[in-house]
Amino acid sequence: MIRPHGTTGPATTGPANTSPTATDAATTGPAGGVHAAWLPPEAFGPLGSRRVLVRGDGGLVDTVFDEVEQACARHGGRAARSAGDPGVDLVLALRDAGPLPAPVARVARSAGAGGSLGAEGYLLARAEGVTMVLADAPAGLLYGLFHVVRLGAAAFDGDRPARRHAPAVSLRMLDHWDNVDVHPVMGQVERGYAGGSIFWHAGAARRDLDRVRAYGRLLAACGVNAISVNNVNVHATEARLLTDRLGDVAELADALRPYGIRVHLSVTFAAPVVLGGLPTADPLDATVRAWWAAATRQVYERIPDFGGYVVKADSEGQPGPFTYGRDHADGANLLAEALAPFGGVVHWRAFVYNHRQDWRDRSTDRARAAYDHFAPLDGRFRDNVVVQVKFGPIDFQPREPVSPVLAAMPATRLAVEFQVTQEYTGQQRHVCYLAPCWSEVLAFAPWGPGGPTVADVAAGAGPGPAAGGGLVAVANVGDDPFWTGHPLAQANLYAFGRLAWDPRLDPRAVLDEWIDLTFPAGTTGDPTLVRRTLHAVMDDSWRTYERYTAPLGVGFMVSPANHHYGPDVDGYEYSRWGTYHFADREGVGVDRTRATGTGFTGQYPKPWSRVYESLRDCPDELLLFFHHVPYGHVLQSGSTVIQHIYDTHFAGVQQVAEMRQRWRRLAGVIDPAVHARVTERLDEQLRCAIEWRDQINTYFFRKSGVPDVRGRRIH
């Protein structure tokens, strides 16, 4: 088992410094090292107790064999690479790998008519007592191996007809907001809630890369194939990763390559100035283009499989092409030109808005910004530009409508961005299983029911000619012994990878996979109780969090003190950030209609432009995002707005109390360290939920003067 790295680094501002129950990560970790997450040795028991043949060549095939060999050494099986060995229970092979056992050869021949399996696809079958995974490329064999691990003993039961498996989305990526230097406000990891970085520590690269390799293994097992290793807010030290500190990036790439993870790098648009000494970073300047071409060539000389660049430009103070009178297409195409000869891509984030708004000016609407900036540029981006769009138009709130940008740029490669790190969903001190939220987003049809979905846009199967840009998420991992601080937050990282591979998966089924792998049979006192408890605690936890926080899609009632944790109803109401609720004595909500508001509803195609414009048809859960309504407005549910606020906030607290009570029943049933950490987090979640309930209900009671019809105590 990997040992934890020394210390967790300086504490970041945030929940670790705001809760009286906060516990130092190092004091409640698993005995003997870092938690195994969804790859404990026991999960490999069914595979490792069999006779396994691995056939093929290549670095990833070597990784497959190493995994099999270690599992067999632990569980009593036998691993071989020679087809001449007698007797076999499992074959993992490239289809062109030469002689294969007769049952496998027959399946390979019959499946050959189906054409290529693709770069990451594989075929899984079981016949004549042999389970087999066949692939055309080594990456497919790696993903097939982890499919067998997920199946467990079921992989070796009965017959299994040959079935092809391939990712729906080609690029499945995590963005790390890790700083090389410790930032004076944000710490080692911006929006990090699980300790320090696993890549960087106090201005330097971590030299012990065992944890990075273990991380790559976890990512491959859930389907992630790319990461960006530094913060999109690129500070002075981080900028140098592109040039004189490129060796640090190369070491990370070397550590992650055995698991098929390609490394990307966040870069500053001003690099030609801050690193190259040029007087300008104008994207149309020939010397600037030459500088980027030379710098990029040096990157690929050191890291031949480098993925590309991630850029946050002209947003929240980051430099960009606006300085030179250019637009985002000009800026993105500059970097794309430099990357194109090497097959790299530039992920250009669409998170661009005026962050110095006047709260008095109701005509300015942050929700409109991404569309206003990017939709007019559709068709102007090079083929290797991916415009990376947050799933909602604001900023990863517990409930937002799907961003209209995803329907507005059919000639542009678009990536959909989620946030696995729980910035606005409890910061990994609250249980908030986000797969149901992401599943809703991925299934949303931007052009109307029955049409292409958000998942189709990410995969390149939308109505336009553009290839898919992929699914990207802000990572939630740190050097905490449990990886994500809250052990149950591991499920969000796992679920992101699985939904990126197959967006049609049921979030409950994904949670079942995670439970089976993380708490395998033989490691718990009562597997049925564990499964039942985890589903009871986690299945509805996203909606529970929504109930006791900001109501009806209004969002952003959080403390603005650099950490966004806990309630502060008016914390952003008179700020420059453009995140308002406009509550007064008559009502609450933001008028974003075309008729009387900011016109944001008009950015959607039909039928959604009509649905969101209509006070009658707008979904309850998004009502206050699109409309300013009286407190007595009757929702589709039949409740008034004010009573809905009271009822949901009382219900949310009750649900957290029940979650905590259910979890206590697992004492002595699961790993004591896991139980203790989750217990501590649930205690904090209940405390915080009560604070949310009391502040929100009291605020709106004092604004409206309308009492709770059920007579419950409001302060």
Side-chain angles (χ1 to χ4, degrees):
M1 180 178 290
I2 21 179
R3 314 298 295 186
H5 293 282
T7 64
T8 58
T12 61
T13 58
N17 297 327
T18 61
S19 166
T21 60
T23 305
D24 186 282
T27 66
T28 56
V34 176
H35 188 251
W38 51 87
L39 290 181
E42 294 82 1
F44 288 77
L47 179 156
S49 60
R50 261 78 180 186
R51 299 164 297 175
V52 185
L53 173 65
V54 178
R55 295 285 288 149
D57 296 315
L60 295 184
V61 180
D62 293 340
T63 297
V64 170
F65 183 73
D66 289 345
E67 289 283 343
V68 168
E69 189 173 44
Q70 291 178 45
C72 289
R74 176 180 288 272
H75 297 287
R78 188 180 75 237
R81 298 197 76 161
S82 169
D85 286 4
V88 66
D89 303 304
L90 170 64
V91 174
L92 299 133
L94 298 181
R95 288 202 290 185
D96 63 357
L100 296 171
V104 182
R106 281 191 286 272
V107 170
R109 283 195 298 271
S110 64
S116 171
L117 295 171
E120 296 181 307
Y122 57 92
L123 183 145
L124 177 66
R126 181 170 169 81
E128 301 179 48
V130 179
T131 300
M132 60 199 81
V133 174
L134 300 172
D136 290 342
L141 209 61
L142 180 68
Y143 293 123
L145 163 71
F146 287 118
H147 191 154
V148 172
V149 174
R150 284 196 301 273
L151 289 172
F156 304 96
D157 291 340
D159 285 342
R160 184 178 292 270
R163 181 182 172 190
R164 291 166 175 262
H165 299 266
V169 178
S170 60
L171 192 139
R172 307 171 302 278
M173 181 170 171
L174 290 170
D175 282 357
H176 275 257
W177 287 358
D178 296 21
N179 298 313
V180 178
D181 274 333
V182 178
H183 190 273
V185 175
M186 294 300 176
Q188 191 78 67
V189 182
E190 183 166 333
R191 308 308 179 200
Y193 310 109
S197 171
I198 64 171
F199 306 133
W200 320 104
H201 178 69
R206 290 186 183 271
R207 296 272 77 93
D208 180 358
L209 296 179
D210 285 351
R211 184 115 189 225
V212 175
R213 296 185 188 96
Y215 182 47
R217 183 171 178 257
L218 289 173
L219 296 185
C222 67
V224 172
N225 64 0
I227 64 169
S228 175
V229 296
N230 64 303
N231 195 349
V232 293
N233 295 314
V234 181
H235 309 294
T237 301
E238 290 74 23
R240 293 168 54 208
L241 295 175
L242 179 62
T243 53
D244 56 302
R245 298 194 63 167
L246 180 61
D248 294 340
V249 182
E251 288 183 1
L252 294 175
D254 292 344
L256 293 165
R257 187 174 296 110
Y259 286 95
I261 312 296
R262 294 181 72 180
V263 162
H264 297 237
L265 187 65
S266 292
V267 297
T268 174
F269 187 79
V273 176
V274 300
L275 299 174
L278 298 185
T280 180
D282 183 347
L284 301 189
D285 185 282
T287 59
V288 171
R289 293 169 61 192
W291 187 91
W292 276 109
T296 303
R297 183 171 58 253
Q298 291 176 348
V299 171
Y300 279 92
E301 287 172 356
R302 186 67 178 81
I303 311 171
D305 58 351
F306 181 71
Y309 299 137
V310 179
V311 183
K312 176 180 179 180
D314 287 312
S315 178
E316 298 183 331
Q318 292 296 306
F322 287 179
T323 300
Y324 308 99
R326 315 304 185 190
D327 60 30
H328 288 286
D330 296 325
N333 289 341
L334 163 71
L335 300 183
E337 179 183 40
L339 289 160
F342 310 99
V345 298
V346 54
H347 283 249
W348 192 274
R349 296 181 84 233
F351 185 53
V352 177
Y353 68 99
N354 174 15
H355 72 291
R356 296 185 180 277
Q357 292 181 207
D358 183 347
W359 59 268
R360 302 165 186 84
D361 178 9
R362 291 207 181 189
S363 66
T364 302
D365 183 3
R366 175 169 166 176
R368 291 185 55 104
Y371 183 106
D372 288 342
H373 281 295
F374 284 88
L377 303 177
D378 188 37
R380 284 195 47 215
F381 293 95
R382 291 181 61 123
D383 290 344
N384 62 326
V385 174
V386 175
V387 175
Q388 189 166 308
V389 184
K390 291 190 178 188
F391 78 84
I394 298 290
D395 194 7
F396 302 129
Q397 297 303 292
R399 177 77 68 171
E400 293 187 47
V402 168
S403 171
V405 177
L406 297 174
M409 303 185 72
T412 303
R413 294 180 67 183
L414 299 179
V416 183
E417 182 177 298
F418 294 125
Q419 192 179 43
V420 183
T421 193
Q422 293 174 231
E423 180 178 359
Y424 296 104
T425 51
Q427 301 194 354
Q428 284 139 241
R429 298 194 71 76
H430 297 217
V431 180
C432 189
Y433 180 50
L434 291 168
C437 171
W438 300 332
S439 186
E440 282 190 15
V441 171
L442 292 167
F444 181 80
W447 295 272
T453 65
V454 169
D456 293 327
V457 173
L471 286 171
V472 182
V474 183
N476 67 342
V477 158
D479 66 359
D480 182 275
F482 289 105
W483 295 97
T484 57
H486 198 312
L488 303 190
Q490 293 175 8
N492 285 330
L493 181 56
Y494 179 84
F496 170 74
R498 294 292 289 129
L499 288 174
W501 179 279
D502 184 356
R504 300 165 300 177
L505 290 173
D506 181 348
R508 286 180 54 89
V510 173
L511 185 59
D512 270 327
E513 289 180 7
W514 178 79
I515 292 169
D516 287 345
L517 291 168
T518 307
F519 303 93
T523 66
T524 68
D526 188 339
T528 301
L529 177 62
V530 171
R531 179 182 302 279
R532 187 169 63 244
T533 299
L534 286 167
H535 275 289
V537 168
M538 297 178 71
D539 280 344
D540 202 40
S541 55
W542 162 53
R543 293 180 180 86
T544 294
Y545 185 87
E546 180 184 22
R547 289 180 190 112
Y548 64 75
T549 53
L552 300 171
V554 74
F556 260 104
M557 291 182 171
V558 294
S559 174
N562 294 319
H563 57 72
H564 298 157
Y565 186 75
D568 187 344
V569 187
D570 282 336
Y572 278 100
E573 193 60 17
Y574 307 103
S575 75
R576 62 182 186 170
W577 296 99
T579 51
Y580 312 124
H581 55 71
F582 297 132
D584 54 31
R585 66 181 183 177
E586 304 297 334
V588 61
V590 184
D591 184 353
R592 291 189 163 104
T593 65
R594 286 165 289 164
T596 57
T598 68
F600 173 67
T601 58
Q603 293 186 342
Y604 289 89
K606 294 179 180 178
W608 300 113
S609 57
R610 179 194 60 77
V611 169
Y612 295 146
E613 180 83 6
S614 167
L615 190 57
R616 181 192 65 191
D617 297 335
C618 184
D620 283 351
E621 63 268 21
L622 294 172
L623 180 70
L624 301 186
F625 192 94
F626 287 105
H627 296 274
H628 186 90
V629 299
Y631 294 111
H633 174 80
V634 178
L635 301 169
Q636 295 176 28
S637 68
S639 176
T640 63
V641 167
I642 189 65
Q643 194 59 45
H644 173 92
I645 291 172
Y646 297 153
D647 288 346
T648 53
H649 283 78
F650 278 110
V653 170
Q654 180 60 34
Q655 287 157 354
V656 175
E658 291 169 358
M659 290 159 59
R660 186 175 71 154
Q661 188 60 34
R662 288 190 178 100
W663 181 258
R664 285 177 173 174
R665 297 171 191 163
L666 294 185
V669 177
I670 63 170
D671 179 350
V674 173
H675 190 269
R677 176 65 73 86
V678 175
T679 298
E680 171 248 315
R681 299 293 161 112
L682 284 169
D683 288 346
E684 164 59 12
Q685 184 170 357
L686 181 58
R687 181 207 66 79
C688 194
I690 291 169
E691 194 67 25
W692 271 102
R693 177 199 67 193
D694 290 347
Q695 286 201 31
I696 298 292
N697 283 348
T698 298
Y699 179 91
F700 284 106
F701 172 63
R702 292 178 181 179
K703 282 282 188 184
S704 70
V706 179
D708 174 25
V709 297
R710 292 171 175 79
R712 293 164 292 196
R713 185 182 182 191
I714 297 178
H715 300 273

